[in-house]
Amino acid sequence: MDTILFSQPLSDADLDRAAAIIRGGGLLGIPTETVYGLGADGLNETAVLHIFEAKGRPQDNPLILHVPDAGWLPKFCRDIPHAAYALARRFWPGPLTMILPRRDIVPLRTTGGLETVGVRCPDHPLTLEIIRRAGVPIAAPSGNTSGRPSPTTAGHMVEDMWGKIDGIVDGGPCGVGVESTIIDLTVTPPRLLRPGGLPLEALEEVLGEVAVDKAVVSKLADGERPKAPGMKYRHYAPKAPVTVVTGDAGQSAAYIAAHCEKEAGIICFSEFLPLFAGHEVHDLGPMADLSEQARRVFDALRRFDETPVPEIWAQCPGSEGLGLAVGNRLKKAAGFHIVEALP
Ligand code: TXA
Ligand code: MG
């Protein structure tokens, strides 16, 4: 299949062509502030099936719907609590997905057979405009091939999807870099299913008590089912095995230096780059800059696949703010193989 690359700046005609791909049942790589998505008409079962095929994604793993504003919520969701509108007012457009009961117009193919649907309003002007012109919600998982790190540049989208989909819209590098935070509003108290670009602390300001799903912080036992089906898969996995080292940054750096092989790949905070001279190193950003770490984490994981490193070691931020999401992505890449560096 020929893939069209829509490069910046997009003309009015480009936006129409991109929207026509969605309306015609095609597949389109779309930029968002979190990660790039692999989009299709979320109400068209055949188009949605093609998303699963292009990604190699298990069919029981539901897709989220992208809408241009909260006014679209009642078209696709029932029994919408007050809290949903309060969250939308405060955080949309932005990196927050809400799980709500679905209306019948949303195919079970989209929701992976669930009676609920995830909805979010992405903060990217091109994608918002394409959704409005298409006139339908865009179902979009992250645009990576299943099992690879999520794409945070149009280049990553090209790596995974060139020749497999109708178009890719280049909207520049993603400003947030990790996927949206997912909150389940069908239960009391609301439950965090995936930490992401919106910190848990921000949700708590609006919602009060928020429960945190077990799959966020630990590996599930065999046969245990997480509430977000996607959390059970070992996502974001580089080819080499990953070990995450938690604890004080100075101590985790010293631990890695003492235990890693000579050829090991390293993901470390900028401050510790000199310690790992001679290694294949990816700089996660300054220790105190969690936003920068979120922007870099997937690219760091992805780049190791181009190198022959036999093992990867990663430093890990603490769990405050965006640190919860950055640490979760690193730990999932490691299959929750975690060591705590002690003083
Ligand atoms: O930032 C994002 O959310 C990106 C961009 C493209 O918007 N999208 C994204 O989609 O990360 P995806 O499919 O890679 O991850 C969505 C997660 C999956 O773990 C899925 O299982 C979960 O959301 N999910 C979707 N609908 C759900 C539902 N009704 N109930 C529980 N979990 C759901
Ligand atoms: Mg994904």
Side-chain angles (χ1 to χ4, degrees):
M1 173 187 292
D2 287 337
T3 305
I4 304 168
L5 182 63
F6 294 99
S7 304
Q8 289 181 303
L10 270 73
S11 64
D12 194 57
D14 287 337
L15 288 166
D16 277 340
R17 275 172 89 197
I21 287 175
I22 296 294
R23 252 201 324 276
L27 299 185
L28 184 70
I30 52 167
T32 83
E33 80 284 27
T34 57
V35 301
Y36 274 74
L38 177 53
D41 177 354
L43 307 181
N44 176 336
E45 288 197 43
T46 312
V48 166
L49 176 63
H50 290 151
I51 294 181
F52 286 97
E53 288 170 352
K55 273 182 70 84
R57 178 177 174 110
Q59 305 260 347
D60 68 345
N61 194 358
L63 308 180
I64 61 186
L65 291 182
H66 296 70
V67 298
D69 57 67
W72 283 38
L73 273 178
K75 299 190 200 191
F76 310 115
C77 306
R78 292 181 288 108
D79 307 331
I80 304 168
H82 223 68
Y85 289 106
L87 289 171
R89 257 197 309 280
R90 180 93 177 260
F91 301 120
W92 276 6
L96 176 66
T97 297
M98 304 189 228
I99 307 294
L100 293 163
R102 82 173 168 103
R103 282 197 191 280
D104 290 340
I105 187 178
V106 182
L108 287 168
R109 171 78 70 196
T110 302
T111 67
L114 297 176
E115 288 305 328
T116 56
V117 61
V119 186
R120 104 170 179 96
C121 174
D123 190 8
H124 197 292
L126 293 176
T127 291
L128 288 173
E129 186 56 30
I130 291 166
I131 301 170
R132 287 199 186 96
R133 291 188 188 206
V136 291
I138 296 188
S142 50
N144 52 291
T145 301
S146 253
R148 294 210 75 202
S150 295
T152 51
T153 64
H156 293 159
M157 272 310 292
V158 167
E159 273 173 36
D160 282 18
M161 291 297 153
W162 194 255
K164 292 188 182 171
I165 63 177
D166 299 281
I168 295 173
V169 175
D170 185 350
C174 298
V176 174
V178 292
E179 302 92 335
S180 61
T181 299
I182 303 180
I183 185 85
D184 184 352
L185 295 178
T186 67
V187 292
T188 312
R191 179 174 288 263
L192 179 79
L193 302 187
R194 176 175 74 182
L198 184 74
L200 172 60
E201 293 87 339
L203 284 177
E204 286 169 337
E205 277 175 29
V206 174
L207 296 173
E209 187 190 359
V210 174
V212 175
D213 201 62
K214 200 178 152 203
V216 170
V217 283
S218 58
K219 187 179 178 139
L220 296 174
D222 286 346
E224 222 174 336
R225 289 157 64 96
K227 286 271 300 202
M231 293 293 276
K232 73 176 175 247
Y233 299 106
R234 181 181 174 232
H235 272 192
Y236 326 121
K239 289 172 193 146
V242 183
T243 306
V244 168
V245 185
T246 60
D248 167 81
Q251 277 149 15
S252 62
Y255 185 97
I256 293 172
H259 290 83
C260 70
E261 283 183 39
K262 230 173 78 209
E263 290 78 26
I266 309 288
I267 297 176
C268 70
F269 300 122
S270 313
E271 289 84 347
F272 300 98
L273 288 170
L275 194 59
F276 299 108
H279 286 271
E280 176 77 31
V281 185
H282 284 284
D283 178 359
L284 194 55
M287 228 153 55
D289 190 346
L290 291 166
S291 302
E292 192 55 38
Q293 293 167 32
R295 276 190 290 275
R296 292 189 193 186
V297 64
F298 282 128
D299 189 59
L301 289 166
R302 191 172 266 263
R303 292 283 74 96
F304 281 117
D305 284 350
E306 296 152 13
T307 71
V309 298
E311 57 176 30
I312 298 168
W313 292 79
Q315 288 193 277
C316 184
S319 59
E320 299 78 38
L322 283 177
L324 188 64
V326 174
N328 171 268
R329 302 310 187 270
L330 288 170
K331 288 170 186 174
K332 283 180 72 174
F336 285 93
H337 184 229
I338 306 165
V339 180
E340 192 184 348
L342 297 171

